[in-house]
Amino acid sequence: MANEPDIAARRLVIDSATENCSVALFEGDRLLAHQGAMLGRGHAEALVPMIAALPDRGRAATVVVDAGPGSFTGIRVGLAAARALALAWGARVESYESLALVAAMALAERGDSARPMTSGAAVDVVMTGGHGEWFFRPFNADGLPLAPLASLPPEAVLARLTAPLVAGSQADACAAARPDVMAYPLWPDARHAALLPASALGDGAAPAYGRAPDAKLPAGATLPT
């Protein structure tokens, strides 16, 4: 029937790795609907109702999830939801890293002016990490990473900034210490997932914590993946 949804063309995006918990339903690259809220806590309680509020309760042929880095709890809530829904729907699971989406959002917001005249990073992404550290990764003008993800003390991150633009939850803090950069305070948002370069999407849903766990497991114990 003409009114039946094209589930095969749909993607459900789940992003609960940071304070900004969000979901979005796409048909191709067209955004059909989204839900989101800036949360300090309560990702587990908020995420499922957000998905249920989407058209057809978010059902899609592909479930795309933010694998981190970010909050350990938020990452695991998103991954668990993605895996459970994919199992129930017979859907494929893909994932991306939170800093890659922030980079894509920042470059899209700034537009062509974000393309530097010389080689190097177009945007440095700096997000809140754990134990007072910040997550840091530079990206080029195509949104591709130029170096591995790092979790560093703030002073070490400030020393590594080379791009004219800094994006992420710690962008304002960077600009306060480095007035030569432009700050875009951004958090990953599922409704902008279509901005990600194809190479930023990976098969499966393995967590990308970006740092060691806050608590150590007993000898011989392992975290589930």
Side-chain angles (χ1 to χ4, degrees):
M1 296 177 60
N3 293 330
E4 289 184 353
D6 185 5
I7 300 299
R10 288 190 175 182
R11 293 180 298 145
L12 170 65
V13 182
I14 298 172
D15 200 309
S16 61
T18 69
E19 301 96 316
N20 188 37
C21 185
S22 60
V23 298
L25 186 64
F26 290 86
E27 192 165 283
D29 286 335
R30 182 169 66 94
L31 177 63
L32 298 179
H34 68 91
Q35 297 280 326
M38 190 68 74
L39 303 175
R41 295 178 181 272
H43 290 65
E45 294 79 11
L47 183 59
V48 171
M50 285 183 183
I51 296 172
L54 297 173
D56 303 303
R57 301 179 69 83
R59 185 166 183 179
T62 304
V63 181
V64 187
V65 60
D66 185 341
S71 157
F72 274 83
T73 300
I75 291 168
R76 299 204 68 79
V77 166
L79 294 177
R83 291 166 178 159
L85 292 173
L87 181 63
W89 297 337
R92 176 182 177 181
V93 180
E94 296 180 341
S95 63
Y96 60 89
E97 293 191 2
S98 55
L99 276 71
L101 181 52
V102 170
M105 290 167 58
L107 292 169
E109 188 168 335
R110 192 175 178 193
D112 290 340
S113 62
R115 295 184 176 271
M117 298 301 293
T118 59
S119 61
V123 57
D124 288 326
V125 179
V126 184
M127 300 289 293
T128 303
H131 300 293
E133 293 190 340
W134 292 348
F135 293 120
F136 168 77
R137 200 169 197 187
F139 292 81
N140 68 15
D142 295 315
L144 303 178
L146 296 172
L149 172 71
S151 179
L152 301 166
E155 59 272 18
V157 171
L158 293 172
R160 291 194 181 194
L161 298 179
T162 61
L165 173 63
V166 179
S169 56
Q170 292 294 343
D172 282 339
C174 290
R178 289 278 305 272
D180 56 315
V181 302
M182 179 181 294
Y184 276 31
L186 295 170
W187 285 256
D189 191 322
R191 62 182 156 169
H192 298 298
L195 296 172
L196 285 164
S199 60
L201 295 173
D203 291 332
Y209 293 124
R211 57 186 175 88
D214 294 334
K216 293 185 178 181
L217 296 172
T222 59
L223 281 172
T225 58

